[in-house]
């Protein structure tokens, strides 16, 4: 997996590192939360797509984020 930051830097990581990175890397966590907002919250708010596209995805993301708090 990889994530691209606003400054153009791309960080590669393994999926099993996700929770640890969310707990220890503030830049990573901030970007993940930005992506959640862009991909789920904003699109849902703008009614882009159908509700079922968001509920399952949002549930997965929230479970992951809750594990890191």
């Amino acid at each position: 997996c990889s994530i691209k930051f606003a400054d153009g830097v791309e960080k590669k990581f393994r999926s099993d590192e996700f929770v640890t990175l969310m707990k220890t890397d503030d830049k990573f966590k901030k970007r993940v939360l930005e992506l959640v907002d862009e991909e789920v919250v904003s699109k849902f708010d703008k009614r882009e797509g159908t509700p079922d596209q968001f509920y399952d995805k949002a549930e997965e993301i929230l479970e992951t984020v809750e594990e890191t708090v």
Side-chain angles (χ1 to χ4, degrees):
C1 302
S2 67
I3 190 167
K4 195 171 208 174
F5 299 102
D7 60 7
V9 173
E10 186 172 352
K11 181 180 185 96
K12 294 183 185 247
F13 62 95
R14 294 187 321 266
S15 58
D16 64 336
E17 297 174 308
F18 181 81
V19 173
T20 301
L21 286 168
M22 287 292 286
K23 290 179 181 178
T24 61
D25 187 329
D26 290 334
K27 183 177 178 181
F28 181 87
K29 183 176 182 177
K30 180 180 178 193
R31 184 63 182 139
V32 168
L33 295 176
E34 289 171 350
L35 290 170
V36 168
D37 183 57
E38 291 170 16
E39 295 299 319
V40 179
V41 178
S42 293
K43 286 183 179 179
F44 186 81
D45 188 47
K46 294 175 186 172
R47 301 195 191 311
E48 295 174 3
T50 60
D52 59 319
Q53 291 175 298
F54 299 102
Y55 289 117
D56 292 336
K57 185 187 248 187
E59 216 171 271
E60 282 179 39
I61 293 169
L62 287 174
E63 286 174 6
T64 303
V65 171
E66 285 172 359
E67 290 174 5
T68 66
V69 179

